[in-house]
Amino acid sequence: ELADEPNLLKAADKIRDLGTDNLIIKKGEHGALLFTDDTYFSLPAYPVVDIYDPTGAGDTFLGGFIGWLADTEDLSDRNLRRAAVFGSVMSSYCVEEFGPKRLSELDDQDITKRYKEFQDISQIPKQEYPFAK
């Protein structure tokens, strides 16, 4: 809508021309697209069987994304991708209950487990493997 362009790749170019270096376009249950100076990254949503309430999922995605970046203090393309995965993981928990109830029940083990599951099902390179140079 912002770019008045139905093609997301063209819309991203128009929005980035407004002055932002990085851009995320959320696609709800279909995941997200992350655009940086050098590349773009298509990320599926973490599959959730029982969705009770999608309210707040986008905000939770953003909170997880920014939280990851704040914790790691790394704005590399590779880490932006990890942050997007973390945002998707957090939003997947958000939709499992009404309101913030499910999020308030989480601990680090729950989040780490789902993050690793997401890596496995998405074939996202694990953190301990370096990207090709």
Side-chain angles (χ1 to χ4, degrees):
E1 248 183 76
L2 177 63
D4 194 31
E5 171 61 58
N7 181 289
L8 294 181
L9 299 177
K10 290 178 183 178
D13 284 342
K14 285 184 175 183
I15 294 168
R16 292 188 66 233
D17 285 345
L18 296 174
T20 184
D21 292 331
N22 302 312
L23 172 68
I24 298 174
I25 297 177
K26 283 283 295 130
K27 302 186 308 172
E29 68 180 296
H30 302 290
L33 291 169
L34 167 67
F35 297 87
T36 66
D37 281 337
D38 299 322
T39 188
Y40 67 91
F41 175 59
S42 178
L43 176 73
Y46 182 89
V48 177
V49 174
D50 295 317
I51 297 174
Y52 288 98
D53 183 15
T55 304
D59 292 335
T60 304
F61 176 95
L62 182 59
F65 182 86
I66 296 297
W68 180 277
L69 294 179
D71 189 54
T72 61
E73 298 181 2
D74 177 1
L75 297 178
S76 67
D77 283 357
R78 183 170 68 180
N79 203 52
L80 289 171
R81 290 177 181 215
R82 289 185 188 125
V85 172
F86 191 73
S88 186
V89 164
M90 297 308 297
S91 64
S92 74
Y93 281 117
C94 176
V95 302
E96 291 181 338
E97 293 280 346
F98 289 105
K101 183 175 189 280
R102 182 69 176 110
L103 295 171
S104 68
E105 299 169 345
L106 296 177
D107 61 26
D108 289 344
Q109 286 181 318
D110 296 324
I111 297 166
T112 299
K113 180 179 181 233
R114 187 162 287 185
Y115 184 91
K116 288 179 180 179
E117 288 171 356
F118 201 139
Q119 286 180 316
D120 290 340
I121 65 173
S122 300
Q123 299 180 351
I124 296 168
K126 296 191 182 297
Q127 190 167 350
E128 60 268 16
Y129 297 113
F131 282 86
K133 294 181 180 180

